[in-house]
Amino acid sequence: MAQSSRYAFTPCGHKCVCHLCAVAVSRSERRCPICRTKVVRILKIIDP
């Protein structure tokens, strides 16, 4: 929770994790920590 949220999950669209947490989710149960939807893809969000 100390890092900025730069990764989002599909299909739910929640932008809620940093790089380290995105890696942890991809290695574990692959569920969004907010809504518990099965994660299909993890997208890096690039702010302008």
Side-chain angles (χ1 to χ4, degrees):
M1 300 300 286
Q3 300 291 327
S4 60
S5 300
R6 297 198 182 267
Y7 289 80
F9 300 120
T10 61
C12 67
H14 286 118
K15 178 182 167 189
C16 58
V17 295
C18 66
H19 175 74
L20 293 176
C21 292
V23 170
V25 166
S26 70
R27 291 184 179 167
S28 65
E29 61 191 50
R30 296 189 61 90
R31 295 205 177 267
C32 173
I34 293 177
C35 66
R36 309 303 296 162
T37 300
K38 182 78 172 167
V39 172
V40 175
R41 178 179 274 163
I42 300 171
L43 303 170
K44 183 176 183 180
I45 306 301
I46 300 172
D47 294 326

